[in-house]
Amino acid sequence: MPTGDYANHRFSKLNQITKDNVKDLQVKWTFSTGVLRGHEGGPLVIGDVMYVHTPFPNIVYALDLNNDGKILWKYEPRQDPNVIAIMCCDTVNRGVAYGDGKIILNQADTTVVALDAKTGEVVWSTKNGDMTDGGKGESGTAAPMVVKDKVVIGVSGAEYGVRGWTAAYNLKDGSLAWKAYSTGPDAETLIDPEKTTHLGKPVGPDSGLNTWEGEQWKTGGGTTWGWFSYDPKTNLVFYGTGNPSTWNPVQRPGDNRWSMTLMARDADTGMAKWLYQMTPHDEWDYDGVNENILVDAMQINGQPRDVLVHFDRNGFAYTLDRTTGELLVAKKYDPKVNWATEVVMDPSSDQYGRPQVVAQYSTQQNGEDVNTTGVCPAALGTKDQQPAAYSPKTGLFYVPTNHVCMDYEPYRVSYTAGQPYVGATVSMYPAPGSHGGMGNFIAWDAAKGEIVWSVPEQFSVWSGALATEGDVVFYGTLEGYIKAVDLDGKELYKFKTPSGIIGNINTFEHGGKQYIAVLSGVGGWAGIGLAGGLLSPENAAAWHTAVDQGREQGDEAQVVGTAGLGAVGGYAALADYTTLGGQLTVFGLPD
């Protein structure tokens, strides 16, 4: 599965590649995907076959590991090209899943397809969204997860006012088993007002309605484009929901539940057991979709707890009891986080579980058409969807992070189906005092809420991490390096691949030998300037024309700098280090 296991550990028990011999890694073979946008996710290995996916048009290749990656079959769906325009942050896809002899693909146009793993023939196909031509702004970027006899899938598009949901389809035939919206009435959010809890208390009737003004919940965002995890002991599926729509908080009073929320749902029925809203009434686009990592018997205050660990975009790392949703730890995992002072941990306080917002950095309090400056982190968060790894050997989490701050100016927008519904101008830059570095790769102690060590990087670390039994931790950089570090963060190996790495590092065994594999192909939100051609003033101006509903954006430098929701200016220097590509690189030890 794309997450490595149901617990999202991204830890491998393979141990041929060790801290002592990793320096000897060499490229064994490569494969060009033929697509030039951001390559997120990673290859999937089932037996002697590797399955490789691409960004739009979402090609899937089956490669023969017994024959240096010979193409066994290729599936290339026909999709409406209009979908490209409504994918806010590049045409990415985070990978395919496997179950019951089928490869499951979540296409950009929201079609979910099951392919025969041996032949590539379509077994079944179903529409997850309402429209596959981008007409409602719905898209598919997330990797599915197969849980028992179901395929769990989310939806993207909060920047277009999509009302988010998670759905489960029957693995056998693709029929819908359940669908749970993030916002709206209890019958549609699959929330029991008495039995579903938030920090231990019943949520009460229609909590997904009465925290919104009027019918704003219908375009309320809360999309579900991140990772899923599953606990067989409790039969709960865990995931997070994204930002509320619009990015202008003044236009949507209230807590805007259940955007920005961790959700625990019954895998069979979809009913919510517990919820935790991390960023009520989000004012900064701090989507809560990042992965949830499940750890058994973590010692917290001398007690073993089965926990869920979540590194949120908002800069806080959360440790919760995954059975009850009790909040155990909430600490900043980048010292520069400044929009809130803390998350209140006193259960008797009326602020329990809420971040304490600093007025200076509140875009709500500063108001529309006011540029709130110096907010840390930037909208893309202290970590975006690039997944962390957990090592049961060390008990530590290895986390790719962004070290970026922003200026954020909200403005009034109106909703039109299929059109951008953003309402903020954002510019991004390295966190102050960081000597220009935009990222760190850190080790985190989730029981204490402390950084153990931190390795600075020139750009944000936008790849997923991998920890192994061989005492090596791998990650990739936006310039294109795959790096290996030891358990103290000391660099052991690096190799520059043809394009920036925003994919996840994978390892697999074949023919008795351990290999490392990674997809290169710069893009994603951080690389959208390169991937979308937005470094050119003409293209940047066209982007603003499409997104800004007629708002003036200043001179040419400002137009380029604030394009791509602020990432183009923030990561402009990336063009000096890498360029577009789409390649799989497989590494191994010398024969």
Side-chain angles (χ1 to χ4, degrees), residues 42-270:
L44 190 71
V45 176
I46 308 291
D48 292 331
V49 182
M50 175 185 284
Y51 299 93
V52 175
H53 68 285
T54 77
F56 187 94
N58 307 133
I59 303 167
V60 180
Y61 296 98
L63 306 180
D64 186 356
L65 294 178
N66 293 323
N67 198 357
D68 283 347
K70 180 187 176 186
I71 301 170
L72 296 170
W73 55 258
K74 172 185 176 184
Y75 171 75
E76 184 169 2
R78 292 172 181 258
Q79 299 184 69
D80 192 320
N82 288 329
V83 171
I84 296 172
I86 56 98
M87 299 184 79
C88 83
C89 311
D90 203 6
T91 58
V92 295
N93 184 284
R94 298 187 183 94
V96 294
Y98 173 85
D100 189 30
K102 304 177 183 78
I103 296 294
I104 313 297
L105 169 68
N106 179 23
Q107 295 178 186
D109 66 359
T110 77
T111 303
V112 182
V113 180
L115 308 171
D116 185 293
K118 288 189 168 59
T119 66
E121 296 298 315
V122 176
V123 180
W124 55 256
S125 173
T126 190
K127 260 180 28 173
N128 186 36
D130 291 333
M131 301 172 76
T132 57
D133 62 356
K136 288 185 71 174
E138 303 159 330
S139 59
T141 59
M145 177 175 266
V146 175
V147 176
K148 299 197 288 187
D149 60 347
K150 294 181 177 63
V151 177
V152 182
I153 205 108
V155 70
S156 307
E159 278 60 59
Y160 290 78
V162 171
R163 176 188 171 209
W165 71 83
T166 293
Y169 296 92
N170 290 307
L171 181 59
K172 181 181 178 183
D173 58 9
S175 57
L176 182 66
W178 54 260
K179 184 175 184 178
Y181 283 93
S182 303
T183 65
D186 292 340
E188 296 180 12
T189 55
L190 302 189
I191 287 174
D192 184 314
E194 299 304 320
K195 293 179 181 175
T196 303
T197 60
H198 182 264
L199 295 173
K201 295 180 179 177
V203 296
D206 285 335
S207 52
L209 283 179
N210 56 31
T211 54
W212 294 84
E213 189 170 78
E215 295 193 330
Q216 289 182 336
W217 58 270
K218 290 184 177 179
T219 53
T223 50
T224 48
W225 48 273
W227 304 94
F228 298 98
S229 48
Y230 171 65
D231 180 9
K233 287 199 282 190
T234 56
N235 198 38
L236 293 176
V237 170
F238 305 95
Y239 64 94
T241 65
N243 60 289
S245 302
T246 97
W247 287 26
N248 177 3
V250 179
Q251 280 187 252
R252 43 171 174 79
D255 273 359
N256 307 139
R257 292 180 169 177
W258 292 101
S259 66
M260 320 302 274
T261 297
L262 297 181
M263 296 194 163
R265 293 186 179 274
D266 183 280
D268 298 326
T269 66

Side-chain angles (χ1 to χ4, degrees), residues 27-48:
V27 175
K28 292 298 184 181
W29 56 278
T30 60
F31 177 79
S32 172
T33 67
V35 180
L36 288 183
R37 294 291 288 255
H39 283 61
E40 288 185 347
L44 190 71
V45 176
I46 308 291
D48 292 331

Side-chain angles (χ1 to χ4, degrees), residues 379-523:
L380 41 67
T382 301
K383 188 178 88 58
D384 204 319
Q385 58 74 40
Q386 62 271 36
Y390 168 74
S391 170
K393 282 188 79 171
T394 65
L396 296 178
F397 296 78
Y398 302 97
V399 192
T401 72
N402 311 315
H403 194 55
V404 183
C405 302
M406 68 175 172
D407 301 341
Y408 189 112
E409 183 174 344
Y411 58 88
R412 191 153 290 264
V413 285
S414 57
Y415 172 77
T416 303
Q419 297 301 310
Y421 189 48
V422 180
T425 300
V426 178
S427 57
M428 300 183 191
Y429 40 84
S434 55
H435 308 292
M438 298 178 75
N440 296 286
F441 187 71
I442 71 170
W444 178 260
D445 183 328
K448 297 177 181 175
E450 294 178 356
I451 296 171
V452 178
W453 51 255
S454 179
V455 177
E457 285 286 349
Q458 181 172 359
F459 295 103
S460 297
V461 186
W462 210 270
S463 86
L466 169 73
T468 72
E469 188 78 32
D471 296 333
V472 186
V473 181
F474 293 89
Y475 67 97
T477 74
L478 275 169
E479 309 100 294
Y481 287 104
I482 181 172
K483 294 190 175 185
V485 298
D486 68 13
L487 298 181
D488 296 315
K490 179 188 168 202
E491 188 176 297
L492 303 171
Y493 173 82
K494 71 175 181 179
F495 178 89
K496 195 169 189 194
T497 66
S499 183
I501 296 174
I502 63 168
N504 305 330
I505 318 293
N506 291 45
T507 189
F508 64 96
E509 187 175 33
H510 183 256
K513 295 181 180 178
Q514 182 182 357
Y515 296 92
I516 303 290
V518 66
L519 286 170
S520 302
V522 74

